[in-house]
Amino acid sequence: QVQLEESGGGSVQSGGSLILSCAASGAIGSINTMGWYRQAPGKERELVARVIPGGTTHYGDSVKGRFTISRDNAKKTATLQMDNLKPEDTAIYYCQAYLRPGDSPMYSFFWGQGTQVNVTS
């Protein structure tokens, strides 16, 4: 059973920082992309950042220059460093991984349960 476990959410004042972590566990053959998405009340889920195995990163326009994603392939983790947070960053943040379970020849998307981030002005 593959699981993605997020940690690090919470409340912070505008201009502050938070670090989110995602750890993949279970029977995993290999992981391709790892990333973070977020969903604010009344809005669609949107890409925050993702990183591919070679280290290339992609960011949503609203977080470029403020957020940094990294991954540790050996530990099967992805970390999102969020700086200069704004009230509009308030959302539930979800970890996503595109991976191949150990007993499958195919890659699939997996999601974590989400972690709440609140930014107050």
Side-chain angles (χ1 to χ4, degrees):
Q1 185 89 8
V2 173
Q3 286 189 317
L4 299 180
E5 184 172 356
E6 301 114 333
S7 61
S11 294
V12 66
Q13 288 190 327
S14 182
S17 298
L18 283 174
I19 299 175
L20 303 183
S21 296
C22 174
S25 63
I28 298 172
S30 61
I31 303 176
N32 190 299
T33 304
M34 295 190 77
W36 291 91
Y37 287 73
R38 68 186 182 187
Q39 188 165 19
K43 294 188 176 182
E44 293 186 352
R45 193 171 295 191
E46 64 175 0
L47 170 70
V48 177
R50 60 173 174 246
V51 56
I52 66 175
T56 300
T57 57
H58 299 90
Y59 294 93
D61 288 341
S62 62
V63 306
K64 285 179 181 177
R66 300 187 298 121
F67 292 10
T68 304
I69 189 170
S70 60
R71 65 187 283 172
D72 185 320
N73 293 326
K75 294 182 179 179
K76 300 184 179 64
T77 59
T79 300
L80 185 68
Q81 171 75 45
M82 304 187 294
D83 297 317
N84 190 21
L85 282 159
K86 304 175 181 180
E88 51 264 41
D89 294 317
T90 295
I92 300 175
Y93 284 69
Y94 297 91
C95 178
Q96 183 204 64
Y98 186 55
L99 61 84
R100 181 177 61 81
D103 58 352
S104 172
M106 297 179 62
Y107 282 81
S108 299
F109 288 103
F110 289 82
W111 292 89
Q113 293 294 314
T115 185
Q116 180 71 49
V117 171
N118 290 318
V119 184
T120 58
S121 56

